[in-house]
């Protein structure tokens, strides 16, 4: 209750301080303070995506001022999603709370409590909103989705679409916030796939729009608030698909395989690795289990005796990032087509 | 005992198989098999420096043939020394043994047993051996040291020196093998520093010779078996020292500090980080604690609000690798000279 009081006392100055702390993002720093106080955490590990690290010192000052007796530590590791909670770092540091910034909350069992603080972009795509009716003129019913950073734009874009006469549908599966998608989970958009004529997805960069197009039967348009543009992602998807297929062809000739096990909390799957090993050894192939934190092309280079890497980590690496890897990086799903030599029956999927 | 029998049965074919497995190195693979069997390990994590990873698949085949029921997993992480044992990876994998290849054994307490298997280079520096008397003609008493990979050359180089009339002394501190040095521990060479006229150190690259020169009062010569050359390292040392001093000057102007805590088992020191934080806050500076596994310049770039990084990890990074970092990376020892503004009294040291 004391935490509650202190928080409301500070509320007046909050807007000003927050604007100073993060010029381009909105982050509920007060909420962090409140939870840290309520759970009486004494050692806190803060995790954030690379884009937020330039604010680390401002965030630290803000939190430390209000939490003078708490030891705040900041992880430097890459943080690509809520599949990537730094439990191992927190354990080494004897931390009693992890504050994970910038990603959609998801439930993972772990040895240390985690609070997820989304980070909302303040960018507003004004030009794009004017171009909606022109760019989407072939469709009447639009499925609208967003990544969590731009969740705050969903209602504004919905209204702009409705003003132009579109019917707008937003997916509402209970496991995720309405309309929100992540790189490997498009449940919200796919739940309305059969009733919409096209999807509009609000995200920075092509990544999420490509992921949705891979799984959807409808055209997918990207509204990128940073570049303030609307993009049809079909062409880029076709380009990545052709790279994927050429990588799969190359993998047909492999003799030695490296099976990557990922140490990230939400990606770790030794059972998938063992399944790949079993499939490979049944066919008489050599299979080396390689343990990695981040699937880094430079680290794989060292293993020069390996022809093909089996990726049991983030599945998107094996579609969107193939150009970064000099040797094929395929998933367990892909491997089954390779071993059966059935590339003609191949349909890409995320998991 | 059964393991013992099997091992001696195989001994006849051992030399041939070993040569096939590793063309440039000698590694006691039989010893690994024996220990894995004796301790009945079922899940083994193998760790190796980057240079050995090209042999990973050969090592795996050799071990798996003899240990068919053991799950062998290979770490992809950088492995720079025996300060860097992958306990966290082994715990995540539920491994019951870590096999650490290629470094000098040292004792670190950890939750999982470790076996250290040194890796001896087969390279022989023939030309250098002929040049010894010419290059070292100003000295009579030579202190001889080596990194663990070339420990097998110590007696050959000693004999070559003695044939030419030099008196040779090899350090013999009980904590390390005779004459063997590592990047942050020159006990063997320093124990004879006052009685030799110059040091000759057998190592690939300048790193270890530079480290010894930093601490020794004698000239240091490097015998690099890979390049088959003898090098006086004074000039390179002076160059690195001038970079170090210019970085220290730059650090004098800092307002914000990032204190790096290293997650590597033998480098982790939260107490050193807290000491730095205390020193900085006493003087009114802002200090952010940053947690890292490998001190990677690219990861530090993200923290753009920080002027100077305090390195509580491998101390050599803050002397030999400064050119890789765009902002000053200083040690806790260095920080005390910065805070007292006493650069004129500065003497470099490793720890």
């Amino acid at each position: 209750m004391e935490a509650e009081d202190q928080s409301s006392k500070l509320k007046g100055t909050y807007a000003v301080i927050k604007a100073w702390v993060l010029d381009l993002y909105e982050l509920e720093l007060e909420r962090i303070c409140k939870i840290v106080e309520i759970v009486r955490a004494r050692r806190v590990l803060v995790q954030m995506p690379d884009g937020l690290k330039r604010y680390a010192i401002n965030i630290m000052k803000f939190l430390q001022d209000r939490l003078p007796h708490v030891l705040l530590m900041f992880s430097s590791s890459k943080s690509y999603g809520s599949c990537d909670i730094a439990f191992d770092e927190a354990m080494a540091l004897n931390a009693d709370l992890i504050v994970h910034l910038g990603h959609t909350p998801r439930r993972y069992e772990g040895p240390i409590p985690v609070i997820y603080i989304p980070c909302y972009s303040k960018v507003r795509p004004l030009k794009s909103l004017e171009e909606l009716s022109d760019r989407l003129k072939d469709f009447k019913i639009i499925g609208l989705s967003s990544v969590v950073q731009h969740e705050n734009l969903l209602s504004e874009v919905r209204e702009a679409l409705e003003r132009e006469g579109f019917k707008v549908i937003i997916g509402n599966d209970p496991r995720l916030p309405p309309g929100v998608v992540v790189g490997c989970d498009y449940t919200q958009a796919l739940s309305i796939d059969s009733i919409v004529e096209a999807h509009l997805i609000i995200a920075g960069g092509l990544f999420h729009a490509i992921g949705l197009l891979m799984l959807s039967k409808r055209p997918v348009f990207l509204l990128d608030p940073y570049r303030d543009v609307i993009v049809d992602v079909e062409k880029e998807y076709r380009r990545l698909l052709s790279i994927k297929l050429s990588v799969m062809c190359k993998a047909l000739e492999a003799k030695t395989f490296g099976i990557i096990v990922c140490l990230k909390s939400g990606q770790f799957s030794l059972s998938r690795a063992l399944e790949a090993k079993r499939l490979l050894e049944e066919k008489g192939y050599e299979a080396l289990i390689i343990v990695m934190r981040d699937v880094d092309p430079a680290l794989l280079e060292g293993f020069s005796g390996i022809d093909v890497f089996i990726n049991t980590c983030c599945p998107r690496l094996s579609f969107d990032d193939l150009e970064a890897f000099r040797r094929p990086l395929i998933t367990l799903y892909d491997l089954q087509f390779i071993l059966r030599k059935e590339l003609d029956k191949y349909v890409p999927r995320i998991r």
Side-chain angles (χ1 to χ4, degrees), chain A:
Chain A
M1 287 307 100
E2 202 184 306
E4 200 74 50
D5 291 340
Q6 203 188 342
S7 157
S8 45
K9 209 166 65 195
L10 285 163
K11 217 148 207 173
T13 57
Y14 182 34
V16 181
I17 293 166
K18 212 166 52 172
W20 166 76
V21 170
L22 303 174
D23 49 356
L24 294 175
Y25 296 97
E26 222 166 293
L27 204 57
E28 294 169 275
L29 297 176
E30 284 290 348
R31 184 144 73 94
I32 300 176
C33 297
K34 218 183 277 184
I35 297 175
V36 168
E37 284 181 339
I38 289 168
V39 304
R40 296 175 194 260
R42 281 292 164 261
R43 289 185 170 205
V44 176
L45 178 65
V46 184
Q47 235 197 319
M48 54 182 76
D50 277 1
L52 283 181
K53 283 175 184 157
R54 64 188 145 140
Y55 301 111
I57 193 127
N58 301 353
I59 294 172
M60 187 273 289
K61 282 184 204 170
F62 184 96
L63 298 178
Q64 196 78 82
D65 261 10
R66 282 156 185 70
L67 305 165
H69 301 302
V70 172
L71 175 58
L72 295 165
M73 300 172 281
F74 289 75
S75 172
S76 67
S77 302
K78 302 270 179 193
S79 167
Y80 293 114
S82 47
C83 54
D84 190 4
I85 307 298
F87 290 119
D88 51 350
E89 297 184 12
M91 298 228 306
L93 298 161
N94 208 8
D96 38 30
L97 183 69
I98 296 173
V99 175
H100 185 95
L101 305 182
H103 294 124
T104 311
R106 282 203 286 183
R107 276 191 202 92
Y108 289 111
E109 299 228 344
I112 289 171
V114 186
I115 60 173
Y116 296 86
I117 306 289
C119 173
Y120 299 111
S121 168
K122 292 180 186 168
V123 174
R124 289 195 53 240
L126 300 174
K127 189 167 67 70
S128 311
L129 293 185
E130 284 166 22
E131 289 173 6
L132 285 170
S133 63
D134 186 41
R135 297 303 308 277
L136 300 174
K137 63 178 183 295
D138 299 334
F139 314 99
K140 282 197 179 114
I141 310 171
I142 306 294
L144 184 62
S145 316
S146 167
V147 294
V148 70
Q149 299 96 294
H150 305 296
E151 193 186 348
N152 51 355
L153 287 175
L154 274 173
S155 60
E156 185 171 351
V157 175
R158 162 177 237 156
E159 280 162 28
L161 281 165
E162 285 173 346
R163 266 199 309 276
E164 300 290 337
F166 293 99
K167 181 166 183 195
V168 180
I169 302 178
I170 293 180
N172 199 1
D173 185 279
R175 287 171 303 166
L176 282 166
V180 171
V181 298
V182 297
C184 57
D185 189 345
Y186 297 89
T187 305
Q188 295 297 24
L190 294 174
S191 70
I192 53 173
D193 200 45
S194 61
I195 49 174
V196 302
E197 291 169 6
H199 290 282
L200 180 66
I201 181 164
I202 310 168
L206 297 167
F207 182 76
H208 292 86
I210 295 282
L212 177 52
L213 185 52
M214 195 191 300
L215 304 173
S216 163
K217 292 186 177 62
R218 311 296 173 188
V220 174
F221 292 84
L222 163 71
L223 193 167
D224 184 330
Y226 300 108
R227 294 190 294 148
D228 201 359
V229 289
I230 296 172
V231 186
D232 182 345
V233 294
E234 177 77 19
K235 203 171 146 190
E236 177 61 9
Y237 172 71
R238 293 277 155 214
R239 192 182 76 83
L240 292 177
L241 183 57
S242 73
I243 294 170
K244 173 81 188 180
L245 291 171
S246 76
V247 163
M248 293 282 284
C249 283
K250 218 168 138 194
L252 282 172
E253 293 151 30
K255 290 193 172 57
T256 52
F257 291 80
I259 304 167
I260 305 172
V261 177
C262 185
L263 292 168
K264 292 177 189 284
S265 51
Q267 295 181 24
F268 177 76
S269 173
L270 194 55
S271 63
R272 243 180 299 165
L274 294 178
E275 168 70 4
K277 194 172 156 72
R278 191 185 62 75
L279 290 174
L280 285 163
E281 288 177 348
E282 258 177 31
K283 300 266 184 183
Y285 291 107
E286 305 284 353
L288 179 78
I289 292 185
I290 300 173
V291 182
M292 304 194 104
R293 203 163 310 269
D294 286 298
V295 183
D296 177 344
L299 287 182
L300 290 181
E301 274 310 296
F303 292 93
S304 55
I306 305 284
D307 298 327
V308 164
F309 296 102
I310 315 290
N311 166 28
T312 67
C313 314
C314 170
R316 294 297 298 269
L317 292 169
S318 293
F319 192 81
D320 304 69
D321 287 356
L322 288 174
E323 287 164 296
F325 296 89
R326 279 169 55 176
R327 281 167 281 170
L329 179 74
I330 64 173
T331 65
L332 177 56
Y333 167 77
D334 299 338
L335 177 65
Q336 298 166 52
F337 291 85
I338 298 293
L339 291 179
R340 291 198 305 262
K341 314 271 178 205
E342 286 184 345
L343 245 58
D344 52 316
K345 294 189 182 148
Y346 184 70
V347 182
R349 74 173 200 195
I350 286 182
R351 291 195 174 273

